[in-house]
Amino acid sequence: MKLDDVQRIAHLSSLDLSQAEAEAVLPQLQAVFALVEEMQAVDTSGLAPLAHPILFLRDLAQPLRTDTVTESDERAQNMQSAPAEQEGYFLVPRVIE
């Protein structure tokens, strides 16, 4: 990666970097790309993908709660306070014409 690449990335990201800022960012981007190259070198063909990286650490993973209904349907009771309703929905004045 060269300084021209930093300027091109900055342009594509709609960032206005000065020459000094681009020079300061260059080693950081080089480190990121070096890390990506290092990770791509690892053979992961026999591994199943994880839904979330923390699931790899079972002791740290938060247990998922069951997907159950916790509240009852109280639409009729809630609609009693409505100044206007139609087919179970609140009617409100039109704001945009």
Side-chain angles (χ1 to χ4, degrees), residues 1 3 13 17 38-39 41 58 65 94-96:
M1 173 167 274
L3 204 52
S13 303
L17 293 181
E38 186 178 331
M39 290 190 308
R58 297 281 180 209
R65 64 176 173 81
R94 182 176 292 216
V95 180
I96 301 174

Side-chain angles (χ1 to χ4, degrees), residues 48-76:
L50 297 173
H52 193 281
I54 195 72
L55 294 178
F56 180 70
L57 307 169
R58 297 281 180 209
D59 295 336
L60 298 177
Q62 295 180 352
L64 299 177
R65 64 176 173 81
T66 57
D67 190 15
T68 57
V69 176
T70 57
E71 296 180 11
S72 60
D73 181 16
E74 298 181 10
R75 176 180 279 196

